């Protein structure tokens, strides 16, 4: 359905909600939606005046004043002093999300480590710690260490209100279990959410790690609203997070867009998920190491042969030194990523695909290889409509997005009161 400025809003509440993603809905029943819209703008801009909010949303000045007054009363928003001048030369009062709403603890559980950090409602991070799993006999031992650390944080920061948890490949969000992972630990019987619920009496918000990463980009100041945004996680696992019409698309199990387990070779390599030829078996960090070990015999001159226990860090170190074998392996993995992006384009018709996580260490090779593959395999009419972005190496999108997800739930709870 197409809307214009003369719409009489006869399409019903669901259509109005759809419109409210990008423009403020002028309907009393949508107060919470419009409040969320204002908060989205404040989060992206940091500080904003009432006049700017009216321009951004299309709401009237009176409507903005009413919404802002309510949120100030709820202590969700605060005035931050004089903020520039309006078009008539009058001084404007700045508005910000009130950091006194509280903080959240965020946990990223991966195949080889756990990360934990504290975020405030404005996205500022405190006490970021990485816990390698190799030092623990079992996942339960690692979880005990993690919960002890979270307990220390809660004592140090009494305004912590909730816990966000980013879960790895094949997580079952509703049960908190992991359907399959092949990393030497018993992931199937591991129940991290149960461990957190037993120890902490506060809301816990689980999210798939790729979903957390795309959620981070949904909130970034340099990202305009898109119809469809995809984040492709390229690390220990290969998966994707999907935002459609500014809403996270998770599917019924909480792990939609599992591009890593789309088969690109029906008779290919066996995968821990039970399938064969899964994309993850060709361009994850584990696959990169396996391919390197298979290639040693034919390339004894490679710098990779010096490493007793080869890791993907070693491969990228040699790649950056322009070792021929390392360059060949990384380039091959990047082309496989391109095959995954081709499937994403045909499945979801995205406006933007962000390539992120470990494989971004490949630099220009990653984006160049992906573009080459999609130009070879996708209609030019589609290619020209898809923007490919590469995340900066070292970005912690998963932890940041997990925080934003938990913070949004915190704010929604306050708005609903």
């Amino acid at each position: 359905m197409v809307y214009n400025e003369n719409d009489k809003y006869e399409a019903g509440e669901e259509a109005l909600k759809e419109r409210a993603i990008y423009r403020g809905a002028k309907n009393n029943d949508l107060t919470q939606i419009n409040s969320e819209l204002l908060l989205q703008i404040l989060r992206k801009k940091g500080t904003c005046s009432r006049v700017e909010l009216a321009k951004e949303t299309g709401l009237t000045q009176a409507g903005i004043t009413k919404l802002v007054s309510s949120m100030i009363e709820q202590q969700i928003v605060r005035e931050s002093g004089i903020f520039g001048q309006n078009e008539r030369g009058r001084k404007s009062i700045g508005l910000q999300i009130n950091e006194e709403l509280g903080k959240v603890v965020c946990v990223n559980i991966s195949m080889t480590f756990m990360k934990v950090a504290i975020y405030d409602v404005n996205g500022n991070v405190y006490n970021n710690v990485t816990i390698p799993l190799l030092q623990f006999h079992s996942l339960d031992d690692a979880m005990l260490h993690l919960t002890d650390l979270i307990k220390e944080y809660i004592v140090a920061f009494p305004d912590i209100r909730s816990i966000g948890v980013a879960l790895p490949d094949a997580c079952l969000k509703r049960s908190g279990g992991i359907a399959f992972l092949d990393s030497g630990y018993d992931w199937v019987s591991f129940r991290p959410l149960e461990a957190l619920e037993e120890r902490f009496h506060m809301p816990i918000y689980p999210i798939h790690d790729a979903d957390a990463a795309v959620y981070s980009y949904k909130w970034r100041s340099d990202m305009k609203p898109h119809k469809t945004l995809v984040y492709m996680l390229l690390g220990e696992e290969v998966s994707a997070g999907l935002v459609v019409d500014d809403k996270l698309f998770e599917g019924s199990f909480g792990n939609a867009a599992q591009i890593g387990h789309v088969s690109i070779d029906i008779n290919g390599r066996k995968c821990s998920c039970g399938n064969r030829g899964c994309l993850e078996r060709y361009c994850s960090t584990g696959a990169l190491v396996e391919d390197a070990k298979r290639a040693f015999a034919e390339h004894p001159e490679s710098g990779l042969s010096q490493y007793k226990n080869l890791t993907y860090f070693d491969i990228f170190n040699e790649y950056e030194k322009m070792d021929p074998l390392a360059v060949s392996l990384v380039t091959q993995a990047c082309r496989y990523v391109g095959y995954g992006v081709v499937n994403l384009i045909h499945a979801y018709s995205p406006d933007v695909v962000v390539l992120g996580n470990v494989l971004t260490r490949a630099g220009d090779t990653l984006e160049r290889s992906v573009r080459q593959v999609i130009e070879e395999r996708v209609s030019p009419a589609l290619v020209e409509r898809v923007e490919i972005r590469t995340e900066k190496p070292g970005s912690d999108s998963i932890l940041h997005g997990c925080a934003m997800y938990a913070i949004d739930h915190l704010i929604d709870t306050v708005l609903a009161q």
Side-chain angles (χ1 to χ4, degrees):
M1 183 172 293
V2 178
Y3 294 95
N4 57 52
E5 293 301 316
N6 296 318
D7 283 339
K8 296 183 179 179
Y9 311 110
E10 295 175 349
E13 184 172 324
E14 289 304 313
L16 285 170
K17 287 181 180 180
E18 180 180 346
R19 178 191 172 109
I21 292 168
Y22 299 108
R23 301 287 289 173
K26 302 170 185 177
N27 187 300
N28 291 334
D29 294 335
L30 300 179
T31 298
Q32 183 164 339
I33 290 174
N34 285 329
S35 297
E36 291 170 356
L37 184 60
L38 298 191
L39 291 169
Q40 180 173 344
I41 295 167
L42 288 173
R43 181 169 294 166
K44 287 195 172 189
K45 293 198 170 187
T47 303
C48 201
S49 69
R50 290 170 174 81
V51 172
E52 287 178 305
L53 289 174
K55 288 181 179 179
E56 290 279 343
T57 61
L59 292 168
T60 65
Q61 193 73 44
I64 291 294
T65 298
K66 183 177 179 181
L67 287 169
V68 168
S69 296
S70 176
M71 287 192 286
I72 288 175
E73 186 178 340
Q74 292 172 294
Q75 298 185 335
I76 298 171
V77 170
R78 69 177 179 87
E79 294 182 334
S80 59
I82 302 302
F83 178 68
Q85 295 181 337
N86 61 26
E87 295 174 353
R88 298 180 181 179
R90 296 177 181 173
K91 293 180 179 180
S92 298
I93 296 175
L95 299 168
Q96 294 179 339
I97 296 177
N98 184 10
E99 66 275 7
E100 293 183 4
L101 264 179
K103 297 181 178 67
V104 297
V105 174
C106 296
V107 178
N108 176 17
I109 298 175
S110 82
M111 294 169 64
T112 58
F113 63 82
M114 295 181 182
K115 280 188 179 182
V116 59
I118 301 168
Y119 283 79
D120 65 24
V121 291
N122 288 309
N124 300 310
V125 63
Y126 309 78
N127 297 62
N128 193 330
V129 174
T130 299
I131 306 168
L133 293 183
L134 282 175
Q135 63 183 297
F136 301 101
H137 177 70
S138 69
L139 292 171
D140 289 336
D141 289 342
M143 199 66 198
L144 181 60
H145 178 83
L146 176 69
T147 54
D148 285 343
L149 183 58
I150 293 175
K151 184 177 180 180
E152 293 176 12
Y153 284 170
I154 291 173
V155 171
F157 298 90
D159 60 342
I160 289 174
R161 299 286 179 256
S162 62
I163 301 172
V165 186
L167 295 166
D169 191 19
C171 71
L172 301 174
K173 178 179 171 182
R174 291 183 181 177
S175 67
I178 312 295
F180 53 84
L181 271 185
D182 186 14
S183 68
Y185 290 104
D186 180 12
W187 288 94
V188 174
S189 59
F190 181 48
R191 291 292 183 273
L193 299 185
E194 290 181 10
L196 291 169
E197 288 168 354
E198 287 175 3
R199 191 152 187 189
F200 304 107
H201 301 290
M202 62 176 60
I204 296 172
Y205 301 109
I207 185 172
H208 186 267
D209 51 9
D211 288 340
V214 79
Y215 208 83
S216 173
Y217 277 87
K218 160 182 156 60
W219 280 117
R220 295 193 182 195
S221 60
D222 62 338
M223 294 293 288
K224 65 181 181 180
H226 295 286
K227 185 75 174 175
T228 307
L229 169 66
V230 175
Y231 179 98
M232 192 171 180
L233 192 156
L234 307 168
E236 297 171 339
E237 61 181 276
V238 175
S239 57
L242 181 64
V243 167
V244 179
D245 289 338
D246 209 43
K247 301 294 182 183
L248 184 64
F249 180 78
E250 297 180 279
S252 60
F253 303 122
N255 61 345
Q258 283 295 295
I259 189 67
H261 296 287
V262 170
S263 179
I264 57 173
D265 181 357
I266 60 172
N267 298 310
R269 301 173 184 177
K270 190 79 168 67
C271 182
S272 59
C273 74
N275 199 2
R276 283 192 174 275
C278 291
L279 179 67
E280 187 172 293
R281 297 293 294 112
Y282 298 88
C283 57
S284 64
T285 55
L288 193 59
V289 171
E290 289 176 10
D291 287 343
K293 290 178 178 179
R294 280 193 287 264
F296 280 166
E298 296 180 8
H299 299 276
E301 77 289 351
S302 171
L304 294 175
S305 61
Q306 68 181 292
Y307 299 97
K308 184 177 180 181
N309 297 306
L310 186 71
T311 69
Y312 65 83
F313 293 104
D314 304 324
I315 296 173
F316 279 110
N317 287 339
E318 293 302 315
Y319 165 81
E320 288 161 1
K321 297 175 185 177
M322 298 303 293
D323 177 88
L325 177 57
V327 170
S328 174
L329 290 167
V330 170
T331 302
Q332 175 182 271
C334 290
R335 281 193 60 84
Y336 277 116
V337 172
Y339 304 145
V341 173
V342 168
N343 284 322
L344 287 171
I345 290 172
H346 286 301
Y348 302 112
S349 300
D351 302 286
V352 179
V353 176
V354 179
L355 308 174
N357 213 259
V358 175
L359 211 59
T360 58
R361 282 193 64 179
D364 292 340
T365 299
L366 176 59
E367 190 167 333
R368 184 172 60 250
S369 298
V370 169
R371 289 186 183 279
Q372 183 179 6
V373 170
I374 64 175
E375 286 172 2
E376 292 170 356
R377 295 169 177 261
V378 178
S379 165
L382 294 178
V383 172
E384 66 184 18
R385 288 172 168 78
V386 181
E387 178 185 355
I388 306 296
R389 292 194 185 188
T390 303
E391 185 174 64
K392 291 181 180 179
S395 299
D396 210 339
S397 299
I398 295 173
L399 209 57
H400 177 262
C402 179
M404 295 301 100
Y405 186 74
I407 288 165
D408 277 353
H409 280 283
L410 171 62
I411 292 174
D412 284 347
T413 299
V414 178
L415 283 171
Q417 292 174 353

